[in-house]
């Protein structure tokens, strides 16, 4: 729950987005889908029971008639010589077979189909499925997970282990392929092939998987490996036209590469030059300062590259804090601990109760909308792929508990809440994240908060309203800092110096949630 403080009074403005859009961006709202599916399963079981009851009636009828006709056909005339048998034959053929026809033709699907039709309007869309798939790929990259680890569900801190099927792996590969992401196409098609080779049953055949696999490898420039998989494909389907064409093309390209290499060697010999192999340069210790921000961000998310020296660590303390003898905290000070020195980040322990957390979630959940970011070009709020979460805004006017929390923040920070934005509640979705960003407006963004009618952001107060099993850290790539979620705590830092200049070291990010549900 990110609550940056403002210089001027904030007038909140959010885009009007449907609550049922972008399910994948909020685990909290996705829980509703589980109850929808549970209701559909109940309806489906009712349909199955109705069908089983109908089939049982038909089976009893068939068994009875099978026995009767077997007896009757042994002595037809003698059987029908009994007037009751003759009557019952007329009755069966004229009435009872008609009743059986009606039973067989009766539609027991009405209840299930009606329920399914009603619920379908609340189903996730293709965008949700694609978003969830891309989230898995993002988690794979950020936390350096191989495809098999994800497929088998062996993730840290999981309580409900779930395996991916061949079809699931194939679907991920196809989505990567549609994004021209041949690296991940290869990884997931290879995993699908591995599971097929291990004997997993699937309607998917190896030929289809090998087709994608060989082409994705070729697109990455590995023609020899692409040729190898193409040959495997043709062993399974010798008449596969595309593979036959690819085989000739790959062989031609390899021969061309070989000839080019030979010509180069011959030319060097003619010029009296001796081919030399590239000498390996001695490895140098790479400073984190030279690493691109994206890599620093991902390293910190994994708990790597944290730049806190023992000497600096020794200067970080924990204390009981009353903010210069604030009357409310003199007798009951709060627990405060230093998280980082530059920029100065502090954490408040047990600063929000479970009861308050549940009330906030209860108020926020119906209002959650896709989180927006500031577009520096237009000055307006818009959705972005680098921010995968939903948020809601709560005011002290609507609930006394929110007012009490706002007052608590004012008492502990000394910043007046009259000039703060409303309480923003965020819930992260599948692989939910917010890539590196500043909370304050830079000089090249003079209209950063024009739409909101406010000044620049002074500080950020960030509540953690849930523990996260794996991932979900708040990291500061420029300074190598990482702060991990801890339910019931809050972290606080200043975005601006006393002069009003922005503190660029506060550039931060919310790491993807690997396992768990992050509320903040």
């Amino acid at each position: 729950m990110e609550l940056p403080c403002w210089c001027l009074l904030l007038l909140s403005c959010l885009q009007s987005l449907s609550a049922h859009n972008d399910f994948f961006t909020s685990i909290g709202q996705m829980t509703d889908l589980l109850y929808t599916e549970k209701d559909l399963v109940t309806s489906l079981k009712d349909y199955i029971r109705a069908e089983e009851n109908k089939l049982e009636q038909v089976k009893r009828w068939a068994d009875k008639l099978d026995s009767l006709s077997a007896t009757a056909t042994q002595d037809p005339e003698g059987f029908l010589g009994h007037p009751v048998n003759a009557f019952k034959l007329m009755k069966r053929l004229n009435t009872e077979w008609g009743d059986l026809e009606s039973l067989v033709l009766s539609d027991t699907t009405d209840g299930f189909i009606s329920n399914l039709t009603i619920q379908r309007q609340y189903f996730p869309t293709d965008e949700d499925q694609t978003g969830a798939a891309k989230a898995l790929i993002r988690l794979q990259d950020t936390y350096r997970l191989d495809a098999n680890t994800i497929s088998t569900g062996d993730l840290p801190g999981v309580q409900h282990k779930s395996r991916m099927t061949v079809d699931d792996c194939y679907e991920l590969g196809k989505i990567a392929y549609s994004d021209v992401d041949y690296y991940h196409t290869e990884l997931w098609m290879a995993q699908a092939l591995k599971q097929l080779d291990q004997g997993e049953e699937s309607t998917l055949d190896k030929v289809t998987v090998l087709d994608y696999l060989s082409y994705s490898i070729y697109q990455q420039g590995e023609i020899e490996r692409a040729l190898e998989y193409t040959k495997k494909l043709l062993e399974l389907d010798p008449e596969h036209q595309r593979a036959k064409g690819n085989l000739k093309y790959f062989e031609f390209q390899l021969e061309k590469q070989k000839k080019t290499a030979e010509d180069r060697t011959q030319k060097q010999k003619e010029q009296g030059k001796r081919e030399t192999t590239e000498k390996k340069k001695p490895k140098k210790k790479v400073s984190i300062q030279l690493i691109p921000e994206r890599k620093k961000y991902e390293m910190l998310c994994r708990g790597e590259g944290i730049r806190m020296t023992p000497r600096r660590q020794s200067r970080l303390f924990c204390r009981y804090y009353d903010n210069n003898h604030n009357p409310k905290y003199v007798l009951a000070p709060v627990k405060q601990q230093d998280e980082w020195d530059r920029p100065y980040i502090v954490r408040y322990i047990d600063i929000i109760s479970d009861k308050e957390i549940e009330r906030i979630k209860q108020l926020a959940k119906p209002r959650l909308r896709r989180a927006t970011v500031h577009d520096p070009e237009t000055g307006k709020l818009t959705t972005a792929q680098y921010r995968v979460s939903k948020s809601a805004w709560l005011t002290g006017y609507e609930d006394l508990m929110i007012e009490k929390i706002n007052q608590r923040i004012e008492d502990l920070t000394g910043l007046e809440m009259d000039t703060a934005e409303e309480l923003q509640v965020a819930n992260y979705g599948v692989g939910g994240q917010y890539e590196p960003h500043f909370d304050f407006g830079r000089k090249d963004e003079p209209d950063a908060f024009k739409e909101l009618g406010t000044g620049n952001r002074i500080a950020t107060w960030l509540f953690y309203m849930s523990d996260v099993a794996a991932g979900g850290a708040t990291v500061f790539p420029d300074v190598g800092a990482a702060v991990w979620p801890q339910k019931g705590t809050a972290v606080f830092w200043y975005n601006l110096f006393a002069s009003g200049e922005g503190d660029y070291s506060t550039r931060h990010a919310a790491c993807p949630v690997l396992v768990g549900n992050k509320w903040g």
Side-chain angles (χ1 to χ4, degrees):
M1 192 186 321
E2 201 166 1
L3 187 66
C5 296
W6 302 74
C7 294
L8 301 176
L9 181 65
L10 168 67
L11 299 177
S12 160
C13 179
L14 278 176
Q15 286 189 334
S16 177
L17 300 173
S18 168
H20 299 293
N21 283 348
D22 305 322
F23 277 111
F24 74 97
T25 63
S26 168
I27 295 293
Q29 283 194 331
M30 284 176 66
T31 57
D32 295 338
L33 296 178
L34 291 176
Y35 293 104
T36 297
E37 189 170 50
K38 183 180 180 181
D39 180 60
L40 286 174
V41 170
T42 300
S43 181
L44 179 60
K45 285 184 174 180
D46 289 341
Y47 160 67
I48 292 170
R49 278 193 291 270
E51 282 290 312
E52 288 176 340
N53 182 52
K54 183 172 78 172
L55 288 172
E56 186 60 32
Q57 292 181 61
V58 173
K59 185 175 181 295
R60 286 198 299 268
W61 171 263
D63 290 343
K64 183 180 75 171
L65 266 292
D66 183 45
S67 176
L68 181 65
S69 60
T71 302
T73 53
Q74 289 179 3
D75 181 12
E77 291 187 4
F79 181 82
L80 292 174
H82 194 303
V84 173
N85 287 339
F87 164 73
K88 292 182 74 171
L89 176 63
M90 296 303 104
K91 178 174 175 288
R92 280 198 307 276
L93 292 173
N94 182 54
T95 305
E96 294 180 10
W97 276 99
D99 292 341
L100 180 66
E101 180 183 21
S102 297
L103 175 63
V104 172
L105 292 176
S106 63
D107 189 358
T108 62
T109 65
D110 283 351
F112 172 66
I113 295 300
S114 296
N115 190 24
L116 182 61
T117 302
I118 292 169
Q119 299 287 10
R120 194 184 297 277
Q121 62 184 312
Y122 304 113
F123 278 15
T125 62
D126 287 343
E127 181 184 355
D128 286 302
Q129 183 173 333
T130 300
K134 289 181 178 180
L136 280 177
I137 291 173
R138 182 166 59 250
L139 291 172
Q140 182 179 14
D141 289 345
T142 302
Y143 296 105
R144 289 185 176 174
L145 304 171
D146 58 59
N148 189 65
T149 297
I150 298 175
S151 181
T152 55
D154 291 327
L155 301 176
V158 292
Q159 294 181 338
H160 308 283
K161 187 174 178 179
S162 182
R163 298 180 66 92
M164 293 177 67
T165 65
V166 168
D167 295 72
D168 293 334
C169 297
Y170 174 72
E171 180 65 25
L172 273 183
K174 277 208 310 179
I175 288 172
Y177 181 84
S178 66
D179 274 356
V180 199
D181 178 1
Y182 298 115
Y183 171 72
H184 289 104
T185 303
E186 177 193 349
L187 293 181
W188 286 102
M189 290 301 173
Q191 182 63 29
L193 183 63
K194 176 182 177 180
Q195 292 178 208
L196 284 171
D197 288 338
Q198 290 172 344
E200 183 178 322
E201 292 185 5
S202 173
T203 56
L204 197 64
D205 59 77
K206 290 184 182 181
V207 169
T208 304
V209 176
L210 283 166
D211 196 15
Y212 275 101
L213 187 55
S214 61
Y215 185 74
S216 62
I217 290 171
Y218 160 70
Q219 285 290 346
Q220 295 176 80
E222 298 183 58
I223 300 176
E224 198 164 340
R225 285 182 61 224
L227 178 61
E228 179 186 336
Y229 281 109
T230 302
K231 288 178 178 178
K232 288 181 180 179
L233 191 162
L234 287 169
E235 288 175 7
L236 298 172
D237 183 3
E239 299 305 316
H240 196 286
Q241 292 301 312
R242 183 166 51 250
K244 288 166 73 174
N246 287 344
L247 180 69
K248 293 179 181 178
Y249 178 74
F250 295 158
E251 288 177 337
F252 169 75
Q253 289 295 326
L254 282 174
E255 189 61 34
K256 186 177 177 182
Q257 287 181 1
K258 184 180 178 182
K259 189 174 185 304
T260 301
E262 289 175 350
D263 290 346
R264 188 185 304 115
T265 302
Q266 184 62 33
K267 187 175 181 181
Q268 288 175 344
K269 286 181 178 179
E270 290 173 357
Q271 293 174 349
K273 293 182 179 180
R274 192 169 63 185
E275 186 178 14
T276 59
T277 57
E278 184 180 353
K279 292 182 180 179
K280 291 185 178 180
K281 296 180 180 179
K283 291 184 178 179
K284 293 182 179 179
K285 189 175 181 180
V286 180
S287 167
I288 195 168
Q289 295 285 1
L290 303 177
I291 301 173
E293 182 181 66
R294 178 74 198 182
K295 293 296 182 185
K296 286 193 284 186
Y297 158 60
E298 292 181 350
M299 286 172 65
L300 289 168
C301 289
R302 296 191 298 269
E304 303 169 5
I306 296 174
R307 299 168 58 202
M308 176 56 69
T309 64
R311 184 176 180 181
R312 287 169 61 193
Q313 179 75 49
S314 68
R315 296 171 182 168
L316 301 181
F317 299 95
C318 56
R319 63 190 67 83
Y320 285 103
Y321 181 76
D322 61 14
N323 193 20
N324 295 321
H325 307 297
N326 184 293
K328 293 181 181 178
Y329 296 102
V330 171
L331 296 180
V334 298
K335 289 177 280 188
Q336 185 193 72
Q337 71 181 35
D338 299 334
E339 289 285 338
W340 206 258
D341 51 358
R342 297 185 301 274
Y344 185 50
I345 305 170
V346 295
R347 187 195 295 264
Y348 293 90
I349 312 295
D350 299 327
I351 201 63
I352 185 169
S353 68
D354 288 348
K355 182 179 179 181
E356 289 172 325
I357 288 172
E358 290 309 309
R359 179 58 179 161
I360 289 172
K361 288 162 69 172
Q362 182 184 18
L363 291 170
K365 194 172 179 181
R367 310 182 196 182
L368 289 173
R369 300 293 186 272
R370 179 73 184 268
T372 56
V373 297
H374 170 252
D375 187 332
E377 293 184 4
T378 64
K380 296 182 179 181
L381 298 175
T382 183
T383 60
Q385 291 301 315
Y386 60 83
R387 188 178 190 185
V388 182
S389 65
K390 284 190 176 182
S391 59
W393 301 77
L394 306 178
T395 67
Y397 306 115
E398 57 193 319
D399 195 278
L400 183 60
M401 188 173 285
I402 303 301
E403 178 61 30
K404 287 174 63 179
I405 291 171
N406 286 342
Q407 187 61 51
R408 188 179 309 153
I409 297 171
E410 179 173 321
D411 292 337
L412 291 172
T413 63
L415 298 172
E416 294 182 2
M417 296 305 290
D418 291 341
T419 56
E421 71 175 24
E422 297 168 351
L423 208 59
Q424 181 187 166
V425 184
N427 179 229
Y428 290 79
V430 185
Q433 64 166 4
Y434 190 0
E435 291 184 6
H437 62 283
F438 296 104
D439 277 352
F440 63 90
R442 273 77 67 212
K443 288 183 178 179
D444 59 347
E445 299 175 308
D447 298 328
F449 307 112
K450 184 177 181 180
E451 186 175 301
L452 299 175
T454 68
N456 211 344
R457 293 173 171 177
I458 298 174
T460 295
W461 176 286
L462 177 61
F463 280 115
Y464 291 117
M465 299 198 299
S466 64
D467 291 314
V468 179
T474 304
V475 299
F476 297 73
D478 288 352
V479 297
V483 179
W484 301 92
Q486 183 181 336
K487 185 178 180 181
T489 70
V491 292
F492 175 78
W493 68 84
Y494 281 95
N495 296 306
L496 305 180
F497 293 114
S499 64
E501 292 291 317
D503 183 352
Y504 283 79
S505 69
T506 62
R507 183 170 173 83
H508 62 286
C511 295
V513 178
L514 179 57
V515 178
N517 186 9
K518 182 180 177 182
W519 285 87

